[in-house]
Amino acid sequence: MSVLPVTPARSFVDTMTLKMYMPTWSPTSWQQRPADQQPRYDDGSALNTVVEQLSQLPPLVTSWEVEALKQQLAEAANGQRFLLQGGDCAESLVECDSASIASKLKILLQMSLVLVHGTRKRVIRIGRFAGQYAKPRSSDTETRDGVTLPSYRGDCVNKAEFTAEARKPDPQLLLRAYERSALTLNFIRALIDGGFADLHHPEYWDLDFMQHSPRAAEYQRIVEAIGQSLRFMETLAGISVSDMNRVDFYTSHEGLHLLYEQAQTRQVPHRTGWYNLSTHCPWIGMRTATTDGAHVEYFRGLRNPIGVKIGPITTPDRLRDLLDILHPDDEPGRITLIHRFGVHEIVKHLPALVDVVKKSGKTVLWCCDPMHGNTQMTDDGIKTRKFDHILAELEAAFEIHENHGTILGGVHVEVTGDNVTECTGGARGLSDGDLGQAYRSQVDPRLNYEQALELAMLITRQAG
Ligand code: PEP
Ligand code: CO
């Protein structure tokens, strides 16, 4: 909790004013507000049928998992845990296969092992998966060679291929995305229950190409050190460290497609309020985090812990109002502010936002997304990110929080366990010319396995 006093006049009067003007919330009350970034479907009745079906289908997660995560996030806000949130920019319906899912899990497990070892803190693992199928776009349409079509908005809306047929929003894709999310989550739960995430067997998480990595030796040393600590504790206690046999995994996605989110918003026995049970921790994207918009209206009524992306377009006044609406009761673990400015902007913007949160007297978990402010185009028109920029933004974030007496308690990254070449730099020094070797993302460039481990190693030097 901040030590700065809350200004009584603002806090009381404005909160009262806000409450008076805030209509009663329901899972559909967002429909009275302007909703950005929503697809336009031709066939309204086909869409309604799908939404109706989705609202009958079983939830993907449970309210007690959601509450357990909220509790852990509250501990991260106080510096007792560290949040690792990562995964694809956009999931693909086609890549819902065992190898892709296992490699996503492996890289997050490996990163978290490095973080646990280096920070001596328990790490909360949240995947950007099992629902990350809707994407905000800077323009509603895309033009190529004089042909203009709707933009690709993620696999739950339309297809990336540049044809009129593929780009037409199809409500059936919402059902396909829900099913793929369920299949993904089912496999992840089975792997974890079957011992895949057992800290005694980090060799299960090895990726094929790992031994060629310049970071392999350092990683192996960490694995060895953790193995020794485990054996030491078990010898000492005479029992196996059962609590450490398995780790938890939580899911998150951007809550962008509001009809999809609405359909999975439920009440549960023995608890009050409404839960979005399609995921543990949905987040509001930077573009849709506007105080009068439909997304903020929808999110304010959820019991889930929520993320809010903030960046150069987020003014201190807007952030103060967002906290009034989304975090009125200062509930522990409720809000994670995920800042994403870019290396050249963070120093300009973050301090004022930290100050406004301190002034509010409310506690949030601060998390740095060093990816989304650092996207740039190569001369050949390929979207990429420089690893040095990603590291530098993260370093600046640690420093700014430290200077302000706040805690950077998490990192949010776009990452894959696959050996892709999408971001330049890193231990192997990938250049713009290397990007063509294995560029697979449909949307934003991801860290590959080596770059991800290198990033985790850097964080331990700052957050330890
Ligand atoms: C994303 O996380 O993929 C994204 C679009 O982020 P932002 O809202 O921060 O731009
Ligand atoms: Co992205």
Side-chain angles (χ1 to χ4, degrees):
M1 186 88 57
S2 164
V3 288
L4 286 179
V6 180
T7 317
R10 142 113 211 135
S11 151
F12 180 71
V13 176
D14 291 5
T15 308
M16 288 307 289
T17 319
L18 268 170
K19 280 196 172 146
M20 266 169 8
Y21 287 105
M22 213 116 62
T24 315
W25 185 90
S26 78
T28 57
S29 57
W30 62 267
Q31 296 185 15
Q32 309 308 315
R33 301 283 186 94
D36 288 335
Q37 301 284 343
Q38 304 305 291
R40 297 201 184 94
Y41 292 93
D42 290 347
D43 185 346
S45 88
L47 177 64
N48 287 341
T49 307
V50 164
V51 173
E52 189 46 40
Q53 285 170 2
L54 276 172
S55 41
Q56 300 305 321
L57 288 165
L60 301 181
V61 304
T62 63
S63 63
W64 53 91
E65 292 168 345
V66 170
E67 290 295 338
L69 174 61
K70 205 188 315 180
Q71 173 65 40
Q72 294 185 13
L73 291 169
E75 292 171 15
N78 293 326
Q80 291 155 334
R81 292 184 186 249
F82 193 82
L83 167 65
L84 170 64
Q85 185 173 23
D88 291 324
C89 180
E91 285 181 283
S92 129
L93 294 178
V94 174
E95 278 182 19
C96 180
D97 57 65
S98 62
S100 304
I101 298 168
S103 81
K104 278 181 226 197
L105 218 52
K106 285 176 181 179
I107 189 60
L108 289 177
L109 282 164
Q110 292 196 358
M111 286 180 84
S112 70
L113 198 69
V114 172
L115 289 171
V116 168
H117 182 251
T119 64
R120 312 271 169 220
K121 287 182 187 166
R122 301 186 77 175
V123 171
I124 308 168
R125 299 158 196 85
I126 305 186
R128 282 175 64 116
F129 49 52
Q132 179 55 17
Y133 289 105
K135 294 308 300 173
R137 302 317 303 257
S138 45
S139 167
D140 277 346
T141 57
E142 183 183 344
T143 302
R144 286 190 203 172
D145 301 327
V147 180
T148 300
L149 295 175
S151 294
Y152 168 63
R153 290 191 167 275
D155 275 11
C156 71
V157 173
N158 56 4
K159 301 195 185 83
E161 204 186 327
F162 195 74
T163 65
E165 188 51 30
R167 290 293 175 92
K168 204 167 109 178
D170 175 0
Q172 286 296 318
L173 293 175
L174 291 170
L175 284 167
R176 298 295 85 78
Y178 163 84
E179 290 153 5
R180 291 292 203 276
S181 302
L183 294 171
T184 303
L185 202 49
N186 181 54
F187 187 47
I188 288 171
R189 290 189 194 281
L191 280 173
I192 288 175
D193 284 348
F196 183 78
D198 186 339
L199 286 177
H200 294 86
H201 293 288
E203 70 277 9
Y204 293 169
W205 320 336
D206 286 354
L207 293 147
D208 296 342
F209 41 82
M210 175 174 159
Q211 60 273 27
H212 308 299
S213 163
R215 295 284 159 194
E218 196 170 347
Y219 176 71
Q220 282 312 330
R221 271 196 298 279
I222 293 172
V223 168
E224 204 25 55
I226 288 185
Q228 276 173 10
S229 311
L230 273 179
R231 285 190 292 277
F232 174 75
M233 280 190 295
E234 288 174 343
T235 310
L236 200 68
I239 46 166
S240 114
V241 186
S242 53
D243 191 31
M244 297 182 69
N245 276 344
R246 46 167 297 182
V247 296
D248 291 331
F249 251 101
Y250 294 101
T251 65
S252 66
H253 65 252
E254 179 173 349
L256 184 69
H257 194 299
L258 290 172
L259 285 171
Y260 180 84
E261 306 301 330
Q262 171 197 308
Q264 283 280 313
T265 306
R266 310 281 166 85
Q267 283 179 302
V268 297
H270 314 300
R271 287 192 204 276
T272 53
W274 294 80
Y275 289 83
N276 180 329
L277 294 180
S278 70
T279 188
H280 299 107
C281 183
W283 78 83
I284 313 180
M286 181 184 72
R287 295 168 187 77
T288 47
T290 52
T291 45
D292 53 358
H295 290 80
V296 169
E297 170 59 18
Y298 168 73
F299 272 77
R300 88 178 159 94
L302 298 179
R303 300 289 306 128
N304 301 60
I306 62 174
V308 184
K309 290 277 203 113
I310 57 176
I313 63 170
T314 317
T315 61
D317 282 355
R318 180 191 284 187
L319 182 57
R320 182 199 58 210
D321 292 345
L322 284 172
L323 290 179
D324 281 343
I325 299 169
L326 296 168
H327 199 27
D329 306 321
D330 196 19
E331 184 192 6
R334 157 76 171 168
I335 293 273
T336 300
L337 290 180
I338 307 164
H339 52 76
R340 32 84 82 222
F341 296 100
V343 63
H344 303 303
E345 299 287 314
I346 183 166
V347 180
K348 201 156 54 179
H349 297 278
L350 182 58
L353 297 181
V354 170
D355 284 341
V356 90
V357 175
K358 284 172 75 171
K359 238 182 242 150
S360 78
K362 291 176 183 167
T363 303
V364 301
L365 168 57
W366 292 100
C367 175
C368 176
D369 163 358
M371 313 293 294
H372 285 89
N374 290 313
T375 315
Q376 57 188 65
M377 287 285 184
T378 66
D379 293 342
D380 298 335
I382 303 172
K383 236 185 186 186
T384 189
R385 290 162 172 156
K386 285 193 164 67
F387 189 64
D388 284 351
H389 289 169
I390 294 170
L391 289 192
E393 178 167 2
L394 201 52
E395 276 173 349
F398 274 110
E399 197 178 313
I400 292 169
H401 282 291
E402 194 175 335
N403 291 341
H404 283 74
T406 44
I407 298 165
L408 183 66
V411 63
H412 180 118
V413 285
E414 287 183 343
V415 62
T416 168
D418 297 334
N419 207 5
V420 300
T421 52
E422 296 173 3
C423 294
T424 56
R428 207 177 283 258
L430 287 181
S431 69
D432 284 3
D434 296 324
L435 293 176
Q437 286 169 22
Y439 195 102
R440 300 234 307 274
S441 175
Q442 294 282 10
V443 196
D444 287 340
R446 300 160 296 178
L447 297 173
N448 64 21
Y449 155 78
E450 276 171 26
Q451 293 165 333
L453 274 193
E454 197 169 345
L455 187 83
M457 288 170 188
L458 172 111
I459 296 169
T460 65
R461 288 197 276 280
Q462 309 269 333

